Amino acid sequence: MTAVTRRDTLAALTGVAVAATARAAPPLAPTLANAAARSGRRFGSCVSWSPPGADRGSFANPAYAALLTRDCDLLVAEGEMKWQALRPTPTSFDFRRADEMVAFAKAHRFAMRGHNLLWHQDKWLPRWVASYDFGPRPASEAARLVSTHIRTVVGRYGDFIRGWDVVNETVRPEDGTLYQTPFSRAMGGTEPLLDLAFHTARDAAPGAQLVYNDYMSWEPHNEAHRAGVLRLLEGFRRRGTPVDALGVQSHLVTQGIDGSGDAARLTPDWRRFLDAVTGMGYTLLVTELDVRDNNLPADPALRDPAVAAYTRGYLDVMLSYPQLRDVLCWGMTDRYSWIQGFEPRKDGAPRRPCPYDRDFRPKPMRDAVLAAFGAARVQAG
Ligand code: XIL
C-alpha cells in the first residue's frame, strides 16, 4: 500500500528507522498522509511542471518536492493534463510535461489522479476549438474528437492513474444550467456530450473511478450551483451514465473571524446537499481544497487561526461521510497558490490559502487538516 511505503520513506529520511530496537518503534512523525491513512483515506496535492530548479510549485523544485514527499501520497497535475496543455492542434498531442510528471510520481511512489478529460467551458478549451470546422456531420465529428482525446489520454496513463475527473465544471454557478461549447453545439446538447465522455472513459479504463468535478460550495450564493449539480447527477443516474463520484473542489471562502462559528452555521444546508449526492450512490472526493481568506484582518496571527478553524469545521463535515476517501489541496504552500493571481485580497496582502506559508513553514491550517483526519472515524477496507 502506498501509504505504508511513504511512511517508510519518511522514517528513513528522518532517521527514525535507525532507532529500531526490540522495543516498540518510536511514534512516526505525524504527516498528513499518515493521518489520512489511519482514517482509511489518502491525502494529496496538485503539482505543476517547470524546468529544474524554477521557483514554482513544481516537482522539479526541490523545496516543493520536499513538501509533497513529507505530506502527500497522492498527486494531481495542476494544468498539464488539460486540453490546453495536451492539444496544441486538433490533430496532435503533446505529452512531454505530463509524462515527466507521471515519471516523477512513479519514481517517488505517489499515486496520481487525472485532471481533467473535459473542462467544459469555452475559456478552458484550446483556442482552436472556437474556430474548428466540424464539417457536414458535426455530431459525429465532435464525438470523434472528444472520444479520441479521452481514449488517447486515458490509454496513455490508464495503468497508473486509477481515477479521472472526466468532466470539470460544466454547471453555470449563476443559474445551474449547463454550459455550451462548440462540442456540445455540434452534438446537439450538453448531456449527450457529457454522457459520451463518461462512456468513453469507462471503456478506456474499466476499473477507474470516474468523477464529475465542480466548485459548488457551502458558502452563501452557491444555492443555484448546487441545485444544478444535483440535477446533473440525477440525470446521469437516470440515463445510466457511468459516473462514480462527485469531486467537491472545496475552494473555500472564509466569512469572518469566527471560523468555527461560520462553519457550524453553513453545515446544515451543506449536509442536505451531500446527503442528496451520496443518496444517489455517488462517492465523494475533496479534490482542490484551499481557502480564500476574505473578510479577515491581514495580520497572520489573526488570519491563520480563522482559516484553520473554518477548514477544520469543513473537513469535520466532509470526513463524517464514509463515502469520502481522498482529500487533496490545490497546492501545499501559499507561495505558489493560484489564488494569489486569480483573486488577490482587496487590501493587497498576499493570500494565505494553503497548509504551508510562503517560506515552507507549516501553518495552523496544516494542524487543522491533521486534527480533522485524527478525529475522523476509521474507515473499513
Ligand atoms: C487552475 C490552475 O490552478 C491555474 O494555474 C490555471 O491557470 C487555471 O486553473 N478549478 C479547477 C482547476 O478544476 O483546474 C483550476 O486550476 C482551479 C479551479
Side-chain angles (χ1 to χ4, degrees):
M1 189 182 154
T2 322
V4 172
T5 312
R6 301 207 59 72
R7 256 198 304 275
D8 294 346
T9 309
L10 183 88
L13 283 173
T14 56
V16 171
V18 180
T21 66
R23 281 171 287 135
L28 295 164
T31 75
L32 298 181
N34 291 344
R38 272 185 221 113
S39 83
R41 296 180 166 103
R42 303 187 294 182
F43 177 81
S45 171
C46 73
V47 55
S48 58
W49 180 95
S50 74
D55 190 11
R56 294 267 312 276
S58 156
F59 62 89
N61 171 357
Y64 193 67
L67 287 190
L68 299 177
T69 305
R70 178 184 312 160
D71 265 341
C72 301
D73 46 23
L74 181 61
L75 300 180
V76 60
E78 181 164 9
E80 289 71 7
M81 292 191 189
K82 296 169 181 172
W83 276 72
Q84 283 181 343
L86 293 180
R87 303 303 303 275
T89 73
T91 50
S92 61
F93 287 82
D94 182 351
F95 283 113
R96 282 173 297 183
R97 292 178 177 190
D99 282 357
E100 279 186 40
M101 188 175 283
V102 168
F104 169 84
K106 284 183 176 168
H108 295 86
R109 297 172 189 272
F110 291 98
M112 269 192 95
R113 303 195 62 249
H115 175 80
N116 55 61
L117 297 171
L118 183 61
W119 194 346
H120 191 242
Q121 291 179 41
D122 285 332
K123 68 175 168 187
W124 300 115
L125 288 166
R127 208 160 300 165
W128 58 258
V129 174
S131 53
Y132 188 73
D133 177 5
F134 288 88
R137 295 172 54 229
S140 55
E141 177 56 6
R144 188 196 64 76
L145 253 176
V146 170
S147 61
T148 302
H149 178 85
I150 292 175
R151 262 199 307 276
T152 307
V153 178
V154 170
R156 192 171 186 93
Y157 302 120
D159 60 335
F160 179 58
I161 295 183
R162 310 303 299 155
W164 288 95
D165 294 335
V166 177
V167 174
N168 201 40
E169 299 182 6
T170 195
V171 175
R172 277 180 205 281
E174 49 294 5
D175 62 7
T177 61
L178 302 181
Y179 284 106
Q180 299 264 1
T181 64
F183 292 144
S184 64
R185 281 187 208 98
M187 288 195 61
T190 302
E191 281 99 343
L193 170 69
L194 306 184
D195 290 354
L196 171 82
F198 280 104
H199 280 290
T200 307
R202 177 64 92 220
D203 288 347
Q209 180 191 51
L210 305 186
V211 179
Y212 174 70
N213 191 49
D214 208 336
Y215 63 89
M216 69 286 121
S217 194
W218 71 346
E219 287 91 8
H221 312 302
N222 279 262
E223 295 79 5
H225 199 174
R226 290 200 295 262
V229 168
L230 286 182
R231 276 196 299 276
L232 180 69
L233 296 179
E234 281 157 13
F236 288 146
R237 284 291 180 258
R238 217 174 27 246
R239 300 191 299 275
T241 313
V243 184
D244 302 310
L246 175 66
V248 183
Q249 291 184 4
S250 311
H251 296 293
L252 306 183
V253 186
T254 51
Q255 305 294 294
I257 197 77
D258 179 12
S260 50
D262 289 332
R265 196 166 40 76
L266 297 173
T267 294
D269 277 355
W270 185 235
R271 277 199 182 283
R272 268 190 283 283
F273 172 75
L274 297 174
D275 289 347
V277 174
T278 53
M280 288 187 261
Y282 291 101
T283 295
L284 298 170
L285 302 89
V286 170
T287 50
E288 306 182 12
L289 175 65
D290 56 20
V291 186
R292 242 163 270 186
D293 45 10
N294 288 1
N295 303 307
L296 293 177
D299 181 358
L302 298 170
R303 222 186 330 163
D304 289 355
V307 166
Y310 191 68
T311 305
R312 174 70 199 270
Y314 179 78
L315 286 180
D316 281 350
V317 178
M318 297 306 293
L319 294 171
S320 73
Y321 286 82
Q323 294 91 342
L324 178 87
R325 307 308 290 252
D326 292 339
V327 176
L328 296 98
C329 281
W330 206 242
M332 293 299 285
T333 148
D334 300 341
R335 188 178 189 90
Y336 308 121
S337 170
W338 75 298
I339 294 291
Q340 305 289 4
F342 179 76
E343 194 187 309
R345 266 175 69 97
K346 292 205 177 81
D347 62 6
R351 289 279 191 187
R352 299 178 68 83
C354 298
Y356 286 82
D357 74 8
R358 57 170 298 108
D359 299 315
F360 304 94
R361 289 177 307 222
K363 290 163 50 196
M365 181 179 166
R366 181 180 181 278
D367 299 335
V369 178
L370 196 65
F373 279 128
R377 56 182 258 217
V378 173
Q379 303 296 307

